[in-house]
Amino acid sequence: MRLIQRGPPVVGLSSDVSTPGEPPGFVAIDITVRIEPPLKRMPQLNLACSLGSGDTAHRVFEESKIVYNRLPFRIPREHCLEGGILTLSADLDGTVLWQKCYRASWKQSMPFLDETS
C-alpha cells in the first residue's frame, strides 16, 4: 500500500473544545492523499509529527487515526514556531507510507507550511 499526497496541506487553527473562549491552541493540518491500490476499508494508521531535522528531531505528536482520504494532524501551537521544521508522517505497523518536511511560517495570526527540499 502507498499513500500519495494530492495537493498542498490545508492549514488552519483549532481550539480545544474543553476551553471555550480561549484563543486557538492547535494548528490543524489536513493532508489529502490517494491510496494505491484503492482499499475498501482503510486500516488504522499511526500519524506523527517531529520537530527539527536529522539527529535533532524529536516527536511532539503521535496518535492513531482511521482515515479515508486524508491525514488529519492537530499540533500544539507552541510547536509551530516561525521558521521551525515539522516532519509529518503516516505509518502502518512501523512501515512509513508517507512522510514530508515543512517549514512553518506565520502571516499575521495564521499558520502556513512550505515544503522543504
Side-chain angles (χ1 to χ4, degrees):
M1 178 172 84
R2 291 182 348 159
L3 298 178
I4 300 167
Q5 184 172 341
R6 298 178 59 163
V10 176
V11 184
L13 294 175
S14 174
S15 296
D16 189 339
V17 294
S18 65
T19 55
E22 293 278 325
F26 296 90
V27 173
I29 304 167
D30 279 335
I31 307 289
T32 303
V33 294
R34 182 176 74 233
I35 303 159
E36 289 188 357
L39 301 173
K40 292 182 181 179
R41 184 169 167 229
M42 186 65 188
Q44 191 162 336
L45 299 176
N46 296 310
L47 304 180
C49 174
S50 299
L51 293 179
S53 58
D55 296 337
T56 62
H58 67 281
R59 244 175 216 200
V60 295
F61 161 89
E62 187 168 348
E63 67 178 87
S64 296
K65 287 272 189 176
I66 296 175
V67 295
Y68 170 61
N69 66 345
R70 66 185 185 91
L71 306 175
F73 295 89
R74 191 167 176 259
I75 302 163
R77 188 174 180 161
E78 63 268 16
H79 295 304
C80 294
L81 301 175
E82 178 72 33
I85 301 293
L86 301 174
T87 301
L88 306 177
S89 63
D91 75 76
L92 178 63
D93 298 327
T95 300
V96 175
L97 302 175
W98 174 88
Q99 179 173 296
K100 288 252 174 121
C101 293
Y102 294 94
R103 182 174 308 280
S105 63
W106 289 82
K107 294 180 182 153
Q108 296 177 359
S109 62
M110 288 302 298
F112 291 86
L113 295 180
D114 296 310
E115 192 172 333
T116 63
S117 43

